Amino acid sequence: MSEIPESASGVVWQSSPPGSIYDYIRVASFSIGPDGLVDQWSRRAVDLFGVPAQEAMGKDPVEAFMPADLRERGRRRVAEVLDGKEWTGLVPFRIPGQKRPEGIAEMYVMPSETSDGERAALCIVVDVRALRRIETDLAASQAIFGQSPFGFLLFGTDLTVQRANQRFATVFGGSADDHRGRTVHDYLSRPEADRMTAALRRVLETGESVNDLQIVGAAPGSRDRRHWAINLYRVHSGTGRPIGVAGLGIDVTRRHNAAREARNARRNLALLNEAGARIGNSLDLEATARELLAVAVPGFCDLASVDLYQGLLTGDEAPPGRWGSSHDVGYGAGSAELRRVAFASAVSDAPTRGPLGEPGAEGGCCGTEPVEVGSVHRYPFNSPCAGALRTGRLRTMPGEEGGLVQSTLVVPMVAHDTVVGLVQFSRTKGSEPFGERDRALAVELAARAAVCIDNARLYRREHERALILQRSLLPPGDPEAAGLDIACRYLPGTAATEVGGDWFDVIELPGHRTALVIGDVMGRGLRAAVAMGELRTAVRTLAQLDLEPAEVLSHLDEIARGLGAPAGAQQSGRAHKARGPELSEVYLATCVYAVYDPVTRRCTFANAGHLPPVLVEPGERALLLDVPPGMPLGVGGEPFEEVEVELPEGSLLALYTDGLVESRDQTLDDGLRAFRSALTDPACPLEDVCDHVLTTLDTSHGEDDIALLMARIQGLPTEAVGDWRLTREPRSVGRARELARAQLTAWDLEPLVDTVELLVSELVTNALRYGEGEIRLRLLRDRTLVCEVWDAGLVQPRRRRARDTDEGGRGLQLVGLLSAAWGSRRTPRGKTVWFELPLPDGDGVAEPTVEQLLSMF
C-alpha cells in the first residue's frame, strides 16, 4: 500500500499500483497449526511451490517439501518454532513428485497463537532466485546508469529529470541529485530545448524510440559549441505501464568535427573535379572567369568576383603582373589597371555589383567606389588587393562591422610565375568560416583558372597571328579569269576554334588559261597556317612553270614531305627516310588542282585526297565529278592521275573544303547531298548562288574553316580566237605578219599592229631557226591580247645578252621590252612561246626608252 498525504478528512489510503516491488520479489505465506500441519496456504505459495491449496492443506511441510536427508533437521526446527522460537534461514524445496530440489527459499518463521492459545507458526517465504535477479538487475542498472561514460537522464512523465548520472553532472555541473526536477530548457537554447521536448513527448506518447537526435549547445561557463547525439526510449513498469523516458547523450563533437572535415575534403575534391571539367572549356578569357565563379558559388563561397589585367584583355604580349620582379603590379598610384569581368552571388539581398574589396560595398577596403562588372579600375597601393597582386600570395580580409560579409579571401591568379588577375571569395555571416583547407582550395581554384586564362591568352595570340597569316594568303576580293565568272567565300571557325589550313587560289596561266586550286592542311593552329602558306606559295611557283596538274601535285607531295623534316635530311633529299615522331612533324594536306582552257572549255583535274569537285550543267542536277582521289600530300609513293572534262557553256563548277559538308551533327554523305541540292539554279548570279549555299547548309557549327570556290563557265567566243598553221619555210614569217595585221584590224586593235608584227616576226623566225615541225600561230583576245607561236621542238628559248659585235641574238630581249609578259611552256607535242600585251583602252605598256633600246647593242 502507498500512503497519500493527509487531507482535511484524515488519512486516505489507496491500493498500490501494479508493478510494485512486491510483484518482483514474489513473497508467499502459509501457516502451521499446533499439530505441525499446514492449515493456511496463500495463492502466492501456490505460484511459488506449484502446489494447489487443497493438496497442501493438512500436510506436514517437512515431509511434503523438504528432501529426505534434511527432514530430521526440519522437524527439529518446526518443533523449536512451535515452542516459541523465531527462525530465519535458507530452505531448499522441491515440488512434490520430483526427487531433486527445484530451488532455495528464504523463509521467515514466526511463532503465533491460535484463538485457543495453542502454539502455531506463520511462515513468510521469498524465492531466493527472484531476490538474486533483483540484486543483479539493480547492480546492472547502477553500473549502466551510474558508471556509464555517457550522460544518462531519466525523465518522468512530466518531462522533468528524475535521475541523472555522474557523467551528466560532470559536464553540466553540480552533483547528480542537483539535477532532479529540472527540464531540458535549463540546459539548452530555446530552439534546441523545444526540439528535445517535442522528441520526449513523442517518445512518451507513442513508445517509438528516437535514435541519434542531434543537439547543439554549450556547457555552462563555456562558449564552445558542443554536439550531442541523443537516444531516447520509453521506460515501463513490470506491468508495462509507462513511467518515464530514458535519455542517453553522447558527446559527438569530435566525430562531428571529423565528419565536417571529411565532408569539406569531399566537397573540395568534388569542387576540384568540377573545376577540371568546367573551367577552361571556352578558350575565352571572360568566359573562363565566369566558369570559375560558376564552380565556386555557392559550392565554396557565397559571393565572388574576378578582376583581370586590362592589358591582358587588350592583347598585350605579357601582363604586367610578374610577381617577384621589379616591374610587378605595385606602383605609387596603386595597381595596374584591371577590369571586373565576372561576379556571382548566392545571397538574395547581396549587392548586384562588385561586392568585394571596396568600401561602399560589402566587405572590403581595396578601392574607393563599388566596381561594376565590365568597368576598369585600380586598387590603392596599400590595399590588401594590391598587396596580394604584388606578392602573389593570398590575403584574408575580415568583413565590416554590421555588414553582410563575414570574411573574404583575396587570391591572386598566378600562372607560370605571372599574375594575370585577382579573384575574391567571400562568405556571409552565418556561413562556416574559411579554414586552412578552404584557403588551400581557393589558391588551387585560382591557379587552375589562371592557367586556363593564360593558355587562352597564348592561344588568342597564336590564333590572331595565324589568322593574319591565313588572311594574307587568301586571294584579295573576287579573282578574275578569262572565260570564267568566279565567286568565293571563306568562313573561319569560331573564336574557340583554332585556325585551320584551308586555302584556295585562282592563278592566271599563259594563254588565258586559269588554275583553280583548293586545299586543306590537316591539323590546326599556327603550324597548319604556316604549312598552308608554304604549300600555297609552292603551288603558285609550280603553276608558273606551266606543269601538268598531276606533275604539280607530285612536286607538292615532295614539298609536303619535306616540311616537317630536319634541315639536314631535307637538304640531302632524305626527308622521307628521316621521318619519325622524335625527328620531324608530319604535314598532310588534301588538294584539288585544275587547269581550265577557255578556248576549248576543257578542264584538267588532279586530286590529292580531297573531296571531288561538283559540276552543275544547265538544266541538269549537280553531280560529283569522278576524279580519282589519290593520296593526300605528304604521304608519298603513289602517282596522281589526271582527268580531262569538257565543261559546257554556262555550267557551274564548285570546289570546297570539308567544313562545308561535314560537322559533328552531319555526316559527310548527308552534307554532300545537301550541297548538291542547294545548287539547284546555276543560272542565278554567282554571288547569289554562294549566299544560298551558305544559308542552306549548316555553316554555323564553327568546328572548322569553310572555303568555297565557284566558277561559271563562259569560254572565249570563236571570234576572239585567231588560229593558223604555217609551213616550215622562210616566207611564213611574212605570212604570220599579214595574218596578225588582218586579225588586229578586225578586232579594232590597230594601235597594236606594229608591235605585234615585230614580235610575231621574232617568234616565228626563232621557231624556223631553232624549232622543229609545223608552226602554229594563235592570237587570243580577252582582257589582254596573247600571241602564241607553237612548234614541235623541245628546246626552250633562252634569253641572252648579245655582244656588241653580234649581228643577232636580240630578239627575245626585244620581246621582253615591248610586251607586258612573255615566256614559254612545254606542250604534249613540243613547246609554245608567247607574249602578252594590254589592250589599248588599258593602262598600256610604257614605250621603251632610247637607253633600253640601245642596251640591246
Side-chain angles (χ1 to χ4, degrees):
M1 302 287 288
S2 61
E3 184 177 345
I4 300 298
E6 293 186 1
S7 63
S9 58
V11 179
V12 178
W13 299 83
Q14 73 174 24
S15 299
S16 178
S20 66
I21 189 63
Y22 302 106
D23 293 331
Y24 293 98
I25 297 178
R26 298 178 67 188
V27 178
S29 65
F30 64 92
S31 62
I32 302 174
D35 56 359
L37 302 178
V38 176
D39 61 0
Q40 288 182 350
W41 191 258
S42 67
R43 291 183 179 178
R44 290 284 181 101
V46 174
D47 295 337
L48 178 61
F49 296 108
V51 178
Q54 59 269 23
E55 295 182 8
M57 296 291 289
K59 288 189 177 182
D60 181 357
V62 175
E63 188 70 28
F65 304 113
M66 296 188 67
D69 54 342
L70 298 176
R71 289 173 185 173
E72 183 63 30
R73 186 186 304 174
R75 289 189 183 97
R76 288 197 304 269
R77 295 297 184 187
V78 172
E80 291 175 357
V81 172
L82 292 178
D83 285 341
K85 185 179 179 180
E86 291 186 0
W87 180 83
T88 301
L90 297 177
V91 178
F93 67 89
R94 66 179 178 81
I95 298 177
Q98 298 185 10
K99 297 179 179 180
R100 301 182 63 184
E102 291 295 322
I104 298 177
E106 187 169 351
M107 186 175 294
Y108 303 88
V109 183
M110 295 168 287
S112 64
E113 292 182 358
T114 66
S115 58
D116 297 335
E118 295 182 306
R119 301 283 180 88
L122 175 63
C123 301
I124 297 176
V125 184
V126 178
D127 188 351
V128 174
R129 293 177 300 177
L131 290 176
R132 297 295 180 266
R133 283 197 298 270
I134 291 174
E135 292 176 353
T136 302
D137 291 346
L138 288 175
S141 175
Q142 181 61 30
I144 294 174
F145 198 84
Q147 302 174 24
S148 172
F150 310 117
F152 213 114
L153 290 176
L154 180 62
F155 296 90
T157 55
D158 58 353
L159 303 186
T160 60
V161 177
Q162 300 297 313
R163 187 177 178 187
N165 70 344
Q166 187 58 42
R167 175 60 181 168
F168 183 85
T170 301
V171 175
F172 287 93
S175 64
D177 292 337
D178 293 339
H179 295 276
R180 293 182 185 272
R182 294 184 180 182
T183 67
V184 294
H185 286 82
D186 295 319
Y187 307 105
L188 302 174
S189 64
R190 185 177 184 84
E192 293 293 89
D194 290 342
R195 289 180 57 231
M196 183 76 171
T197 301
L200 286 169
R201 187 171 289 114
R202 185 169 62 253
V203 171
L204 190 61
E205 293 174 354
T206 65
E208 296 180 358
S209 61
V210 171
N211 297 319
D212 203 24
L213 174 65
Q214 297 295 316
I215 296 295
V216 180
S222 174
R223 304 180 66 178
D224 295 337
R225 289 164 55 93
R226 311 297 296 177
H227 295 262
W228 293 286
I230 307 298
N231 298 310
L232 303 174
Y233 57 92
R234 192 167 68 182
V235 179
H236 304 84
S237 67
T239 59
R241 179 176 62 87
I243 61 174
V245 177
L248 176 65
I250 304 174
D251 190 337
V252 294
T253 304
R254 290 185 178 180
R255 187 176 72 186
H256 176 82
N257 292 340
R260 183 183 62 187
E261 288 294 323
R263 195 165 54 247
N264 290 343
R266 288 193 298 270
R267 180 204 64 187
N268 293 353
L269 181 59
L271 281 173
L272 288 177
N273 289 336
E274 185 180 5
R278 296 181 60 180
I279 298 177
N281 293 324
S282 64
L283 284 175
D284 179 84
L285 303 181
E286 298 184 17
T288 301
R290 291 191 294 269
E291 290 165 356
L292 168 63
L293 299 194
V295 172
V297 179
F300 176 68
C301 62
D302 302 314
L303 304 167
S305 69
V306 175
D307 299 321
L308 296 180
Y309 280 117
Q310 178 68 0
L312 186 79
L313 296 168
T314 55
D316 289 353
E317 283 296 310
R322 183 172 297 278
W323 61 273
S325 65
S326 59
H327 66 288
D328 59 11
V329 298
Y331 302 99
S335 70
E337 288 188 339
L338 297 105
R339 186 193 303 173
R340 177 65 52 86
V341 296
F343 164 65
S345 170
V347 183
S348 58
D349 56 347
T352 57
R353 60 181 180 175
L356 307 171
E358 316 98 17
E362 296 290 343
C365 57
C366 281
T368 57
E369 294 295 336
V371 179
E372 297 277 0
V373 173
S375 64
V376 180
H377 63 100
R378 293 176 182 267
Y379 287 116
F381 181 81
N382 293 325
S383 65
C385 295
L389 290 169
R390 280 196 304 273
T391 62
R393 295 182 179 179
L394 177 145
R395 298 286 183 95
T396 301
M397 292 195 306
E400 291 184 341
E401 187 71 25
L404 175 68
V405 173
Q406 176 192 115
S407 63
T408 299
L409 298 180
V410 181
V411 189
M413 306 177 72
V414 183
H416 310 113
D417 293 339
T418 299
V419 179
V420 299
L422 188 75
V423 58
Q424 299 179 59
F425 302 108
S426 293
R427 288 184 180 173
T428 56
K429 293 179 179 178
S431 298
E432 183 178 343
F434 288 113
E436 286 302 320
R437 289 182 181 271
D438 296 323
R439 292 180 177 85
L441 177 62
V443 172
E444 179 66 22
L445 288 175
R448 292 195 178 198
V451 169
C452 294
I453 287 174
D454 196 49
N455 289 341
R457 175 184 68 87
L458 296 175
Y459 165 78
R460 184 179 63 182
R461 185 177 66 183
E462 179 176 315
H463 184 274
E464 290 174 352
R465 291 176 177 177
L467 203 60
I468 293 173
L469 173 62
Q470 190 179 47
R471 295 294 188 277
S472 67
L473 295 175
L474 295 176
D478 290 331
E480 295 182 354
L484 293 175
D485 183 13
I486 294 178
C488 53
R489 294 289 187 274
Y490 180 82
L491 299 180
T494 62
T497 306
E498 289 188 272
V499 172
D502 295 14
W503 92 92
F504 63 89
D505 208 347
V506 178
I507 306 171
E508 292 187 54
L509 300 179
H512 285 316
R513 292 169 306 133
T514 303
L516 303 176
V517 190
I518 195 162
D520 184 3
V521 176
M522 298 181 187
R524 315 198 60 77
L526 185 60
R527 292 177 180 271
V530 170
M532 177 270 285
E534 292 180 323
L535 290 177
R536 180 181 181 270
T537 302
V539 170
R540 280 191 158 267
T541 302
L542 293 170
Q544 297 305 317
L545 298 178
D546 213 352
L547 303 176
E548 296 296 324
E551 290 184 80
V552 171
L553 293 186
S554 296
H555 288 293
L556 282 179
D557 178 60
E558 290 291 335
I559 293 172
R561 282 189 288 164
L563 287 180
Q570 189 172 1
Q571 292 172 1
S572 61
R574 300 193 307 272
H576 60 287
K577 295 181 181 179
R579 304 193 66 83
E582 71 285 353
L583 296 177
S584 61
E585 190 169 346
V586 177
Y587 286 89
L588 299 178
T590 62
C591 180
V592 169
Y593 185 88
V595 175
Y596 171 69
D597 188 340
V599 177
T600 61
R601 294 198 314 276
R602 301 188 71 83
C603 189
T604 304
F605 296 92
N607 189 353
H610 202 80
L611 296 173
V614 173
L615 179 65
V616 187
E617 298 184 6
E620 301 291 338
R621 298 183 60 184
L623 57 89
L624 298 176
L625 291 180
D626 186 15
V627 179
M631 299 298 291
L633 303 176
V635 174
E638 294 293 331
F640 297 97
E641 299 183 46
E642 292 181 357
V643 173
E644 189 176 62
V645 179
E646 184 173 349
L647 306 179
E649 184 79 18
S651 59
L652 191 65
L653 179 66
L655 305 178
Y656 52 95
T657 57
D658 56 358
L660 180 67
V661 295
E662 187 177 25
S663 68
R664 187 179 293 108
D665 300 323
Q666 178 177 253
T667 64
L668 178 60
D669 291 339
D670 292 339
L672 288 174
R673 280 193 293 269
F675 181 36
R676 293 167 60 189
S677 299
L679 299 173
T680 54
D681 191 2
C684 289
L686 201 55
E687 295 291 337
D688 295 343
V689 175
C690 287
D691 293 337
H692 176 69
V693 168
L694 296 182
T695 56
T696 302
L697 301 183
D698 177 22
T699 58
S700 60
H701 52 76
E703 299 171 12
D704 196 3
D705 296 349
I706 296 174
L708 175 63
L709 176 61
M710 305 192 74
R712 175 172 286 116
I713 307 304
Q714 295 174 345
L716 286 180
T718 304
E719 59 272 15
V721 179
D723 194 352
W724 306 276
R725 297 183 183 275
L726 303 174
T727 59
R728 192 167 187 78
E729 54 185 357
R731 63 179 183 176
S732 293
V733 176
R735 175 63 177 164
R737 288 196 298 268
E738 293 174 1
L739 293 172
R741 185 187 310 112
Q743 187 64 69
L744 292 177
T745 301
W747 287 340
D748 295 327
L749 297 178
E750 287 85 354
L752 299 180
V753 169
D754 293 339
T755 302
V756 171
E757 282 188 339
L758 175 60
L759 299 184
V760 164
S761 297
E762 291 293 335
L763 295 186
V764 173
T765 300
N766 284 345
L768 287 173
R769 181 175 299 177
Y770 305 111
E772 299 177 7
E774 188 180 38
I775 300 172
R776 182 180 176 186
L777 172 65
R778 189 168 73 169
L779 295 179
L780 305 176
R781 178 185 177 181
D782 190 66
R783 291 173 293 116
T784 61
L785 177 70
V786 174
C787 176
E788 298 175 330
V789 176
W790 304 29
D791 70 79
L794 298 178
V795 178
Q796 296 292 317
R798 182 172 60 87
R799 182 176 176 179
R800 64 184 180 86
R801 185 175 185 83
R803 294 188 298 270
D804 295 343
T805 56
D806 290 342
E807 296 182 0
R810 299 178 178 86
L812 292 181
Q813 287 184 264
L814 188 63
V815 172
L817 281 175
L818 297 180
S819 65
W822 77 277
S824 67
R825 67 177 186 273
R826 294 195 188 95
T827 64
R829 290 182 293 274
K831 68 177 181 296
T832 299
V833 183
W834 57 272
F835 66 85
E836 183 177 2
L837 294 174
L839 299 182
D841 55 351
D843 295 336
V845 177
E847 291 290 334
T849 63
V850 175
E851 289 77 10
Q852 289 176 325
L853 292 175
L854 292 177
S855 67
M856 294 186 296
F857 298 93

